[in-house]
Amino acid sequence: MAPDLAWQPSLLDGGEPQIDVSYDGLRRIELDTRSWVDYCPGWLAGSDSVFDLLAREARWQQRTVTMWDKQVLEPRLTAGWSTEAAHVPPLLGEICRLLTARYDVGFDSVWVNLYRDGQDSVAWHGDRSRLVMDQPMVATVSLGARRRFLLRKRGSSRIAHELSPGAGDLVVMGGACQQEWEHTVPKTARPVGPRMAVTIRHSRPHTVSG
């Protein structure tokens, strides 16, 4: 399906895509002794052109999820690739290779979540990869508008950390983050443009050096 977007590119993030291989500006947020989040603002320069490419070429779908024993449409669009597939956009493959080299984890799949406006969201959750591997690492490159990205300890209602990624920012969640913490992108009533979360995972329980 083709997404219907009110998309206005930024005047500050044009040009050809360029990845900051130096990771200049990256800071680590220690959630606790077992879990951490790396945040690198502006890691992908020229991210608006990547947004445009994915908006046109990705095979968008709207999945059905179960909420309160009812089947409802998920309030966002999704598209995905394996990095072994021939049709994966080259830049996404390069992002996976660079993150694999830095974090010594075999990132091999890309899933893009499209939040079309402030009514699209995702509830509190941990990545499902926690069910099949120990301490999975999840990296996300945000494109387009900034949205609130909240973190809390699993079992708690208190928001412990808040980020507002967008425009090429990189967020990497590691350690026991998926098992012991939850994250959300909540709805918002204020006017906000569309956002894509390019989420990179390792789907098999191994590391590059292991």
Side-chain angles (χ1 to χ4, degrees), residues 165-187:
D169 295 351
L170 171 68
V171 175
V172 182
M173 294 177 280
C177 192
Q178 302 306 323
Q179 289 100 338
E180 299 178 8
W181 288 74
E182 296 177 314
H183 55 279
T184 182
V185 178
K187 296 181 187 296

Side-chain angles (χ1 to χ4, degrees), residues 63-75:
R63 299 179 297 186
T64 300
V65 296
T66 302
M67 296 183 66
W68 302 291
D69 297 325
K70 294 183 179 180
Q71 295 290 307
V72 298
L73 289 175
E74 188 176 25

Side-chain angles (χ1 to χ4, degrees), residues 1 3 53-63 74 76-82 87-89 92 109-115 196-201:
M1 62 184 297
L53 173 70
L54 296 178
R56 294 192 314 268
E57 297 190 3
R59 297 180 179 178
W60 297 105
Q61 59 177 314
Q62 188 169 18
R63 299 179 297 186
E74 188 176 25
R76 60 182 181 174
L77 303 184
T78 59
W81 298 266
S82 163
H87 63 275
V88 63
L92 299 189
S109 68
V110 181
W111 194 260
V112 185
N113 297 309
L114 171 57
Y115 301 85
M196 287 183 193
V198 181
T199 302
I200 301 101
R201 298 181 176 93

